[in-house]
Amino acid sequence: MTYPGITLALSKGRIFDETVPLLAAAGISPAESPESSRKLIIGTNRADVRLIIVRASDVPTYVQYGAADLGIAGKDVLNEHGGAGLYQPLDLQIARCRMMVAVREGYDYAGQVKQGARIRVATKYVNAAREHFAGKGVHIDLIKLYGSMELAPLVGLSDVIVDLVSTGGTLKANGLVAVEHISDISSRLVVNQAALKLKCDLIQPVINAFSTAVEREAGYQDQGQAAR
Ligand code: ATP
Ligand code: MG
C-alpha cells in the first residue's frame, strides 16, 4: 500500500497542462496524459515519482492527509480549504486569473452598495466572498454553487456572483460585467509538512527545480516586456 517514492496530486485540464513544463524542468515526464487515459494514477519516467489526478478542489485534502506528498492548487482553492497542514513554498505563476464580482449588465451595483442594500451573492468561493464583502461592510446573503455561476444573476438566483475571470469572454457571452476586482489568482505548490521532513531528499530537488523554472519564466517575461 505505501508507495516508497513521492506522489504529486494534480487536476486535469489547465493545471496539468501548465505543470508539464515544470515537471520537465525537474526531469520528470508523465507516462500518459489524463485527457487520453482514464487512469487516476499515472506513472512517470522515474520509478520514484507518480502523479494522481483529482478534482481541483480536492488537491489540498489529498496533500493535507498525506495521500499525496505534493500538489498543485489554485489560490482560490487553497483559500477555501484553509491550508491546514500544508506547506506552501512556491507561487508557480500558472493558471493565472482574477477573482471578480460580476453583475448583469445594467444592475446598479455601486448604487446598491451605497444604499446599504442587502446583496445576494452566488459563488463557489464562499470564504473569499464573505471576507471581501465583510471588508467593505456590505451585508450579503451567500448562495453556495458548484459551477456555472454566470447563470445565477440571469435567472434571478442572485444579484451578483463572485467568480474567476481570465479573458472575460464567458461573462460577456452571458451579458454580465465585472464590477470589482477581489484578488489575483495563480497556482501554488503545496507540500505535506510531515512528508517534507521524511522524504526531504526526494521532495527538495523538485521544489528547487520548480523554483528555478518559475524564475526563468519570470525572467523571460521581463525581457519580453523590456523589448516592447
Ligand atoms: P472543476 O472543473 O473540477 O469543477 P475547477 O473549475 O476549479 O474545478 P479548473 O477549471 O481545472 O477546475 O481550474 C483549476 C484552477 O485553475 C482553479 O482553481 C483556478 O485557480 C484556475 N482557473 C480557473 N479558471 C481559470 C481561468 N479562466 N483562467 C485561468 N485559470 C483559471
Ligand atoms: Mg472549471
Side-chain angles (χ1 to χ4, degrees), residues 11-27:
S11 53
K12 63 179 173 184
R14 57 172 69 87
I15 290 198
F16 184 90
D17 297 346
E18 295 190 42
T19 300
V20 167
L22 296 173
L23 290 171

Side-chain angles (χ1 to χ4, degrees), residues 4-6 46 48-49 70 199-207:
I6 51 173
R46 280 177 46 179
D48 57 358
V49 181
L70 309 122
K199 302 182 185 176
C200 186
D201 51 332
L202 284 175
I203 293 175
Q204 196 59 50
V206 173
I207 298 177

Side-chain angles (χ1 to χ4, degrees), residues 20 28 38 40 47-48 60 71 79 82-83 100-101 107 111 117 119 123 132 157 159 161 163 182 201 224 228:
V20 167
I28 300 164
R38 292 187 189 197
L40 299 176
D48 57 358
N79 194 26
M100 310 278 290
V101 178
Y107 175 82
I119 293 176
T123 188
H132 173 71
L157 179 62
D159 302 312
I161 59 171
D163 200 2
I182 298 179
D201 51 332
R228 250 172 259 143

Side-chain angles (χ1 to χ4, degrees), residues 77-89:
V77 164
L78 291 168
N79 194 26
E80 296 306 313
H81 171 271
L86 304 177
Y87 170 56
Q88 300 186 27

Side-chain angles (χ1 to χ4, degrees), residues 12 14-15 55-56 74 76-77 95-97 124 164 166 185 187:
K12 63 179 173 184
R14 57 172 69 87
I15 290 198
R55 199 72 188 261
D76 50 317
V77 164
R96 291 168 76 167
C97 54
K124 185 165 147 184
L164 299 178
S166 51
I185 300 289
S187 287

Side-chain angles (χ1 to χ4, degrees), residues 66-125:
D69 302 297
L70 309 122
I72 296 178
K75 188 163 175 269
D76 50 317
V77 164
L78 291 168
N79 194 26
E80 296 306 313
H81 171 271
L86 304 177
Y87 170 56
Q88 300 186 27
L90 275 181
D91 180 346
L92 299 172
Q93 300 289 348
I94 61 171
R96 291 168 76 167
C97 54
R98 310 201 306 160
M99 188 170 287
M100 310 278 290
V101 178
V103 304
R104 202 171 160 168
E105 261 167 47
Y107 175 82
D108 182 16
Y109 175 68
Q112 292 296 106
V113 168
K114 215 177 204 170
Q115 278 176 36
R118 210 174 167 87
I119 293 176
R120 279 179 309 155
V121 181
T123 188
K124 185 165 147 184
Y125 311 103

